[in-house]
Amino acid sequence: MLKIFHTADLHLDSPFSSLPTAKSEERREGLRRTFMKMMEYAAREAVDLILISGDLFDCSYISRDTSQILSKCFGAVSCPVVISPGNHDPYTPGSIYASGILPGNVYIFKTESPSKFDFPGLGVRVWGSAFTRERYDGSVLASIFSLPEDRINILCQHGDTRSPLSHHAPLSPRDIAYKGFTYAALGHVHVAPDPVVIGETTVAYPGCPEGRSFDEPDFGGALLVTIEDKKTRLEKIRFAERRYMVEQLDVTGADNDSFVAGKIRELIREKGYSGDTALRIILVGEVSLGYKPNTDALAADCAGELYLLEVRERTLPCFDAGYLEDDLSLRGVLYRVLAEKMRQGSEYDRQVAAAALRYGLAALDGRPVV
Ligand SMILES: [Mn+2]
């Protein structure tokens, strides 16, 4: 049985620029901790092979802390570590990959044209290539002619199965299967799609081990892959310390912040969100004409134990405004023109119309507009 630990897209030393400075430093520290935990896990599970399919770093600049941890952790695992540099951490003469400071059990693909590392003791050959700049327009598989069948053949590659027109090493699971790979350890897609199984071939992305923004939701992890008698089994192991989550909250009928705050707290309680969660709540629904939720105050008020709470507002000021339908004054005309846009326009048109109605009615009523 062959036991493989497969990860990608950790993006060490990410700037986390959307967070306040203290929090962004803490998150960079958190990414390093996640990396250490993964390597400790791989050592404890005594895996035969570690595959890192690119974007281990967020950019070519690597902090001293990170490079020290890398050398230490890779040195502490006794198995081979194969790395396929990605578009964020391409193999360049100045990169850490070319520096020679990584221990001898680390095998790095160096060129765009594919090559292989042979591990006869494990009965495995690992194929792959490197990004050497931000783009990779060629075909990884075109120059791999035939796979010798004396060993299990694995592809370790940063690449994109979502579009044949991708500028990030486009790959198709069908072609991977056709070549005869047993497992394709891919990287690049941050929100892991379901693995694809074609015949005896399994193609998988692990996703980001640790989400860094609301585009990378939920607890991330890595894949523990076992291959026995040409059968591949995958197990997703959680390593993330934190998760980013987005929720829509319907506050139809609201006319004040304390009502909305109550709804927000209820949602947080019901879903069991706590200190490991950064939450974005998007308020939707129809609220009273004169009311606009104060998102900053609501976020500050309801954050409680959450790692982070962000409140966004996409409500429409229509609730109980039916009387304006028949209003013959300018207020009624304004309402009828904008209500139609709020009901039928694009999301952008709806928001513009909602703002216009709030401001317009405030002005006509002699209330402060902003
Ligand atoms: Mn990436």
Side-chain angles (χ1 to χ4, degrees):
M1 187 180 74
L2 185 70
K3 226 168 164 185
I4 300 169
F5 186 85
H6 171 202
T7 180
D9 296 293
L10 185 57
H11 288 262
L12 287 163
D13 290 336
S14 284
F16 289 96
S17 42
S18 64
L19 293 175
T21 315
K23 268 200 162 127
S24 62
E25 184 47 46
E26 191 280 325
R27 285 290 69 220
R28 278 192 290 280
E29 194 63 45
L31 279 186
R32 286 191 281 268
R33 274 196 302 275
T34 298
F35 173 73
M36 288 190 276
K37 277 191 292 180
M38 290 198 292
M39 292 304 112
E40 282 162 15
Y41 174 90
R44 203 165 55 238
E45 284 289 313
V47 302
D48 301 301
L49 186 61
I50 294 174
L51 302 176
I52 302 180
S53 316
D55 287 3
L56 176 58
F57 314 109
D58 193 56
C59 63
S60 41
Y61 165 79
I62 295 163
S63 68
R64 209 155 52 139
D65 287 352
T66 295
S67 100
Q68 281 170 351
I69 283 166
L70 228 58
S71 303
K72 192 174 135 217
C73 290
F74 285 150
V77 292
S78 45
C79 68
V81 178
V82 179
I83 301 177
S84 155
N87 55 307
H88 277 266
D89 58 353
Y91 190 98
T92 60
S95 64
I96 186 169
Y97 296 136
S99 69
I101 66 166
L102 296 176
N105 60 326
V106 180
Y107 299 78
I108 302 162
F109 292 114
K110 296 184 175 64
T111 57
E112 274 200 16
S113 64
S115 54
K116 60 182 187 296
F117 296 113
D118 203 353
F119 304 104
L122 296 174
V124 171
R125 226 176 252 117
V126 182
W127 303 72
S129 64
F131 277 64
T132 54
R133 55 192 184 119
E134 277 170 34
R135 284 171 66 149
Y136 186 132
D137 290 310
S139 159
V140 176
L141 298 177
S143 54
I144 300 177
F145 295 111
S146 66
L147 298 176
E149 287 179 29
D150 55 332
R151 308 207 204 297
I152 294 172
N153 288 293
I154 288 172
L155 179 67
C156 175
Q157 181 68 42
H158 198 74
D160 196 346
T161 56
R162 297 169 301 184
S163 162
L165 302 176
S166 171
H167 296 302
H168 298 111
L171 280 166
S172 101
R174 239 174 20 147
D175 293 347
I176 293 169
Y178 182 74
K179 290 281 173 192
F181 287 103
T182 301
Y183 184 62
L186 304 185
H188 188 60
V189 178
H190 288 186
V191 180
D194 285 337
V196 177
V197 180
I198 303 172
E200 289 176 346
T201 303
T202 301
V203 178
Y205 286 97
C208 286
E210 182 87 53
R212 296 165 301 148
S213 68
F214 291 105
D215 309 332
E216 296 167 1
D218 229 328
F219 289 120
L223 294 170
L224 182 65
V225 185
T226 46
I227 302 174
E228 195 168 21
D229 299 331
K230 291 213 159 185
K231 283 202 178 63
T232 303
R233 208 162 51 85
L234 303 180
E235 192 185 340
K236 178 128 193 185
I237 315 286
R238 172 189 157 184
F239 288 99
E241 295 182 350
R242 309 219 191 279
R243 63 175 163 179
Y244 284 81
M245 298 300 282
V246 179
E247 296 277 1
Q248 284 215 350
L249 180 61
D250 191 331
V251 292
T252 292
D255 62 359
N256 65 75
D257 276 348
S258 68
F259 172 83
V260 175
K263 286 271 200 186
I264 291 176
R265 289 200 192 92
E266 195 181 303
L267 173 99
I268 293 171
R269 203 169 41 242
E270 266 175 18
K271 299 268 178 161
Y273 291 135
S274 58
D276 56 16
T277 302
L279 181 62
R280 171 184 287 169
I281 290 182
I282 301 171
L283 302 175
V284 296
E286 296 187 0
V287 298
S288 272
L289 268 179
Y291 170 61
K292 184 167 167 51
N294 182 339
T295 51
D296 288 346
L298 284 165
D301 193 25
C302 302
E305 283 179 15
L306 292 177
Y307 181 67
L308 185 88
L309 176 62
E310 185 187 294
V311 179
R312 293 202 170 178
E313 169 339 81
R314 275 191 216 150
T315 60
L316 300 175
C318 306
F319 187 69
D320 209 18
Y323 68 94
L324 284 174
E325 289 285 1
D326 306 320
D327 188 313
L328 293 177
S329 73
L330 191 52
R331 299 172 87 245
V333 175
L334 181 71
Y335 176 77
R336 286 189 291 276
V337 169
L338 294 172
E340 173 138 348
K341 288 192 190 302
M342 286 193 292
R343 293 199 177 106
Q344 287 169 11
S346 64
E347 181 56 38
Y348 176 77
D349 287 345
R350 285 151 59 98
Q351 291 306 315
V352 171
L357 182 61
R358 281 188 171 111
Y359 295 144
L361 288 176
L364 289 170
D365 294 346
R367 286 180 280 120
V369 173
V370 180

